[in-house]
Amino acid sequence: MKRGYLEFQWGQVHLRMAGADDAPLLLMLHQSPLSSRNYAAALPHLGRHFRAVAIDTPGFGQSDPLPGDWEVAEYARFIWDCAERLGAARMHLFGRATGTVFAAEAARLRPDAVISLSLHGMPVYTDAERAQRMAAFAPPYRLTDDGGHLRWIWDRIHDEYPWIGAELATRFTADFLSAGPDFATAYRAIWRHDLRASLSDAELPPTLLLGGGKDRIGYMHERATRLLPEARAEFLPDATDFLAEQDPARFAGILAGFATAL
């Protein structure tokens, strides 16, 4: 695996990558407020089939922050800007959670340029759920001299993932700290976005919907399959949100199996 940066007018975007330069591009988007580190274990497996590139969303991981809040459409255009800088006219596209919304919108804009679209845990919210999350789900944390913000982050992670071990929780804490006290910039974009309206009549490329029985938003998998009835749906009863980290070979095999069968 290699690491590098893409240059934009507003700053740099950090990426992790594996695979041959002449292989088909697979661009990977992570969930918020984490980073491309989610895919570090899976990239060597994916690199056997693709030029696999996982980016840190602007403002997360080691990517520079944006000058202001973006809407989903701007994140979607940014994905195509990344593909252009990587020299790819067509690509496979993957997103997890927040990243599924950005990936789906990018594919909706240019379906002929996406060979396959894989969406792991698509958050299909009702209008009421979007409003509730915008109001109360992810308030900024406050830096304190006694380090209380570290405890706040640690407790939030364990509230969301009661099963989590110390190693994974420590990595997530580092990602929260990298994102800064206002870690909800990408969240707010998807909460403002009407995903149902955007995709209801969209022409998408061949699409995989991946869900997990132990995923925090696994209950939304059925909503996603109703929204995208033409997609291939795969549900793994034992999978958490972090299949790519906990079982990277299996994760890579699912993505490669879908994409290479087209």
Side-chain angles (χ1 to χ4, degrees):
M1 187 183 70
K2 299 179 182 178
R3 299 166 70 173
Y5 288 88
L6 300 175
E7 294 279 349
F8 291 84
Q9 185 177 6
W10 46 264
Q12 293 183 314
V13 167
H14 176 253
L15 54 83
R16 292 173 166 88
M17 53 191 166
D21 290 344
D22 59 352
L25 176 64
L26 167 64
L27 191 63
M28 307 183 72
L29 311 173
H30 61 81
Q31 73 181 73
S32 297
L34 305 180
S35 72
S36 63
R37 178 201 46 74
N38 288 138
Y39 307 116
L43 282 170
H45 298 280
L46 290 165
R48 299 169 187 165
H49 308 276
F50 310 100
R51 180 190 178 196
V53 177
I55 62 171
D56 288 348
T57 304
F60 299 89
Q62 297 179 50
S63 289
D64 289 334
L66 295 165
D69 278 6
W70 274 3
E71 301 300 333
V72 166
E74 292 171 289
Y75 284 102
R77 290 192 292 270
F78 158 75
I79 291 168
W80 290 113
D81 289 341
C82 288
E84 180 180 356
R85 283 162 172 77
L86 292 166
R90 303 184 74 225
M91 64 178 169
H92 300 276
L93 190 54
F94 169 85
R96 159 69 203 171
T98 321
T100 66
V101 181
F102 301 154
E105 181 66 13
R108 188 188 69 81
L109 292 177
R110 296 178 59 182
D112 293 341
V114 178
I115 306 166
S116 74
L117 175 65
S118 296
L119 306 173
H120 179 197
M122 173 174 271
V124 182
Y125 294 111
T126 65
D127 291 343
E129 287 169 341
R130 290 195 290 126
Q132 186 278 328
R133 280 160 175 74
M134 183 70 81
F137 181 74
Y141 59 82
R142 184 172 61 88
L143 299 176
T144 60
D145 290 339
D146 65 357
H149 57 292
L150 302 177
R151 168 54 66 181
W152 185 92
I153 294 169
W154 189 262
D155 289 346
R156 181 184 178 92
I157 291 168
H158 281 80
D159 285 344
E160 293 186 348
Y161 310 108
W163 51 264
I164 201 166
E167 183 176 356
L168 201 56
T170 299
R171 294 176 188 169
F172 291 0
T173 299
D175 285 336
F176 265 85
L177 291 171
S178 293
D182 184 12
F183 59 92
T185 53
Y187 280 147
R188 289 195 295 270
I190 69 166
W191 296 332
R192 289 190 297 263
H193 181 68
D194 190 341
L195 183 68
R196 294 173 184 268
S198 177
L199 297 184
S200 60
D201 296 317
E203 293 186 12
L204 294 179
T207 300
L208 171 68
L209 293 171
L210 183 60
K214 297 181 180 179
D215 190 320
R216 186 168 59 89
I217 58 172
Y219 67 95
M220 291 190 177
H221 180 69
E222 186 175 344
R223 298 182 188 180
T225 61
R226 290 198 300 267
L227 179 61
L228 301 177
E230 300 300 318
R232 172 183 162 187
E234 187 161 349
F235 188 78
L236 307 176
D238 61 332
T240 75
D241 311 46
F242 308 109
L243 179 64
E245 293 186 272
Q246 294 171 319
D247 197 345
R250 183 185 187 193
F251 170 80
I254 292 170
L255 264 60
F258 174 68
T260 57
L262 299 175

